[in-house]
Amino acid sequence: MLKAVILIGGPLKGTRFRPLSLDIPKPLFPVAGLPMIQHHIEACVNVPNLKEILILGYYPTSELTQFVADMVQEYKVNIRYLQEFTALGTAGGLYHFRDQIRSGNPEAFFVLNGDVCADFPLVEMLRFHQEKKASLVTIMATEATRQQSVHYGCIVQDRDTSEVTHYVEKPSTFVSTLINCGVYICSIEIFQTFAAVFNTRQQEYYNDASGNGNRKEAAVIYLEIDVLMPLAGTGRVFALQTSNWWSQLKTAGSAIYANRHYLELYHSRHMDRLAQEDFVGEKEKEKEKEKRCNIIGDVYIHPTATVHTTATLGPNVSIEAGAVIGPGVRIRESIVLSGATILDHSLVLHSIVGRGSHVGQWTRVEGTPCDPNPNKPFAKMDNPPLFNSDGRLNPSITILGCSVKVPSEVILLNSIVLPYKELTRSFKNEIIL
Ligand code: GDD
Ligand code: GTP
């Protein structure tokens, strides 16, 4: 039997995802029509014999209750949210809830960072892990560019055995272009390693004569620094390198990128989720066709959204529940969140329109994509800071927080608008507070 743990952090995390994470916990932000971590859950339920999914974080339980109930109903698998009393680090929560994870005697469990998106190769990882008899942890790994690799956990691997011989978390100088994807499968014996780290920490705390030690901090364990780094080179950690699509989901810009890739994955797994282009010439479809808007490429439209027949959507657009898209509207490479309204003939490009926001007529809302450099093999998304070195806003996608009002006939370019703001004119490269 197998289990899976999804690490979602808490309200203090995901700051680069603001203002979108102000009204909804970041792990529940919808990408390609599903809350971010529902994609993780779908990958897990497709693993044979996986019996339980535990979501670990320090968000208040109330923020996850409805989501967990929905997931249990949809996938008919045990799913629970376990709340850490404080941020315990990427392995502190695993250790704290060890009895919950070990109950029922799973042979292994997956650990998935909630803030990554991927075509998760979980079944392949399981097979690989089972072959490596000595393995305590198998890490999903991928190739990055030399410059970008240092922002990730870096892996040095024995090419013949796939053993991780050296691991450095976010090194300050180049170590390796093979990086940690934040997706693991662990054997149950890993808890002995966690316990050893925990006990050492506690000893240090009690031996600290100064009395300045912090009891809470003594419970914090980082999987990368406290477990993987010391275990590397001992023959107990392996890495499975994949070329599957993978990215971090740290910034709002990366949500647009993730949206595109998850929509693409629907081609092979969930064609039903993609809005279909019209089948011209089929008489029986004629009537239905009249009701449809124009679709280009991959588009997700929630069944409760209203899209006018003369609107054109796509490629790579998600329209969430209850959104209303007016006549002649054009939307590309964007996410329109629930209850948003976009009035006649407006244009939305490379943008996220927040919940309940309102865009007037003949308005242009446009952002700059921040995709990985297509000319560099293995390039990942850069997660640039909001401001560049001269204090100017870095060009980014345009984001409207929730319940923002954009008037008719204005241009909003590369801007971030905080919730509940009512704009009265055009803006370019600004954060509107
Ligand atoms: N439950 C819980 N408790 N989850 C946590 C905590 C915590 O205290 N701290 C972080 N997390 C979750 C985050 O929500 C995120 O999903 C994941 O653990 C990783 O968190 P970060 O601390 O933000 O690490 P990172 O994303 O910068 O780096 C990690 O992921 C990279 C791949 O995306 C590392 O594992 C890197 O080595 C790796 O390359
Ligand atoms: P102490 O100096 O004893 O604390 O240990 P250390 O520096 O050997 O260990 P640490 O846990 O910091 O890192 C383990 C190993 O990772 C180091 O021996 C280095 O080989 C490597 N390493 C750590 N940080 C970096 C870095 O920024 N760049 C590079 N190239 N290697 C690093």
Side-chain angles (χ1 to χ4, degrees):
M1 187 261 278
L2 298 161
K3 292 198 183 187
V5 178
I6 304 173
L7 299 171
I8 62 166
L12 298 176
K13 285 263 177 188
T15 50
R16 279 179 284 174
F17 213 73
R18 288 177 187 164
L20 297 167
S21 51
L22 291 175
D23 62 322
I24 180 172
K26 176 182 151 187
L28 301 187
F29 183 84
V31 176
L34 304 184
M36 216 187 264
I37 58 169
Q38 190 172 341
H39 295 282
H40 296 62
I41 293 175
E42 284 207 334
C44 291
V45 297
N46 284 327
V47 178
N49 213 18
L50 193 139
K51 292 285 162 71
E52 187 168 54
I53 301 170
L54 300 167
I55 301 171
L56 246 59
Y58 49 98
Y59 286 95
T61 306
S62 59
E63 296 194 22
L64 273 300
T65 313
Q66 186 59 47
F67 171 74
V68 171
D70 293 347
M71 291 303 101
V72 170
Q73 199 185 5
E74 180 146 0
Y75 298 105
K76 314 279 180 251
V77 56
N78 290 326
I79 302 180
R80 281 186 296 151
Y81 173 62
L82 303 175
Q83 188 193 350
E84 294 167 23
F85 56 96
T86 178
L88 292 175
T90 40
L94 297 175
Y95 182 68
H96 185 78
F97 291 110
R98 59 195 176 279
D99 290 340
Q100 308 277 353
I101 299 171
R102 286 189 298 206
S103 72
N105 243 341
E107 59 172 284
F109 58 98
F110 292 96
V111 176
L112 298 96
N113 287 0
D115 65 353
V116 298
C117 49
D119 181 4
F120 298 101
L122 299 188
V123 175
E124 200 186 330
M125 284 179 75
L126 173 64
R127 225 177 289 129
F128 177 93
H129 186 75
Q130 285 168 335
E131 276 168 19
K132 310 285 173 196
K133 296 279 178 250
S135 183
L136 279 181
V137 187
T138 293
I139 308 173
M140 172 183 168
T142 193
E143 189 81 18
T145 63
R146 224 181 135 86
Q147 292 101 318
Q148 289 178 328
S149 63
V150 295
H151 305 304
Y152 299 89
C154 292
I155 297 169
V156 181
Q157 188 183 41
D158 181 321
R159 289 281 161 199
D160 299 325
T161 62
S162 303
E163 189 201 330
V164 175
T165 51
H166 197 65
Y167 181 95
V168 190
E169 181 63 18
K170 305 194 182 97
S172 47
T173 55
F174 176 74
V175 171
S176 159
T177 52
L178 190 64
I179 60 161
N180 170 6
C181 294
V183 178
Y184 317 86
I185 178 163
C186 304
S187 301
I188 276 305
E189 298 80 63
I190 192 80
F191 284 106
Q192 291 162 15
T193 313
F194 295 165
V197 176
F198 183 81
N199 291 333
T200 312
R201 282 291 152 73
Q202 296 294 313
Q203 275 306 319
E204 284 166 5
Y205 166 73
Y206 286 108
N207 292 345
D208 178 9
S210 74
N212 296 332
N214 182 323
R215 180 94 177 81
K216 275 187 186 167
E217 277 170 21
V220 175
I221 306 174
Y222 292 105
L223 185 59
E224 302 85 353
I225 296 168
D226 300 323
V227 179
L228 297 180
M229 284 184 54
L231 275 184
T234 63
R236 314 287 326 251
V237 187
F238 292 80
L240 173 66
Q241 184 176 347
T242 85
S243 51
N244 283 20
W245 162 67
W246 173 88
S247 173
Q248 282 190 323
L249 240 169
K250 295 283 186 192
T251 60
S254 48
I256 298 280
Y257 176 71
N259 188 58
R260 180 189 331 145
H261 283 275
Y262 275 131
L263 288 174
E264 195 182 322
L265 286 184
Y266 288 165
H267 278 278
S268 53
R269 287 161 216 182
H270 282 284
M271 214 42 205
D272 55 308
R273 289 187 186 152
L274 292 174
Q276 300 293 311
E277 286 179 62
D278 296 324
F279 300 97
V280 185
E282 277 187 63
K283 276 218 177 92
E284 61 276 22
K285 300 259 179 191
E286 280 303 300
K287 232 179 161 181
E288 210 182 324
K289 185 183 157 191
E290 276 167 26
K291 283 187 274 162
R292 290 224 188 95
C293 61
N294 307 305
I295 302 286
I296 301 172
D298 297 340
V299 174
Y300 166 85
I301 304 175
H302 192 276
T304 61
T306 314
V307 183
H308 194 270
T309 47
T310 58
T312 305
L313 310 183
N316 308 318
V317 168
S318 290
I319 309 287
E320 297 298 326
V324 179
I325 312 296
V329 167
R330 178 75 180 96
I331 307 180
R332 233 173 69 193
E333 304 283 347
S334 296
I335 300 176
V336 177
L337 296 182
S338 56
T341 313
I342 299 178
L343 292 189
D344 317 10
H345 309 293
S346 283
L347 172 78
V348 178
L349 289 181
H350 303 288
S351 299
I352 297 179
V353 179
R355 269 203 307 145
S357 281
H358 178 93
V359 175
Q361 303 181 3
W362 296 101
T363 274
R364 185 180 180 99
V365 176
E366 181 175 353
T368 302
C370 32
D371 289 355
N373 184 342
N375 300 319
K376 277 196 189 163
F378 310 120
K380 303 281 169 282
M381 278 206 62
D382 276 319
N383 292 323
L386 223 41
F387 299 99
N388 60 25
S389 49
D390 4 296
R392 307 255 292 266
L393 195 61
N394 273 323
S396 76
I397 65 159
T398 286
I399 306 167
L400 308 185
C402 72
S403 303
V404 164
K405 283 206 167 67
V406 184
S408 295
E409 297 175 40
V410 298
I411 299 179
L412 189 60
L413 198 63
N414 297 339
S415 293
I416 298 172
V417 188
L418 265 72
Y420 303 105
K421 197 68 208 165
E422 292 194 18
L423 307 185
T424 51
R425 58 175 175 93
S426 298
F427 287 92
K428 186 177 165 192
N429 303 333
E430 276 190 58
I431 296 186
I432 300 142
L433 299 166

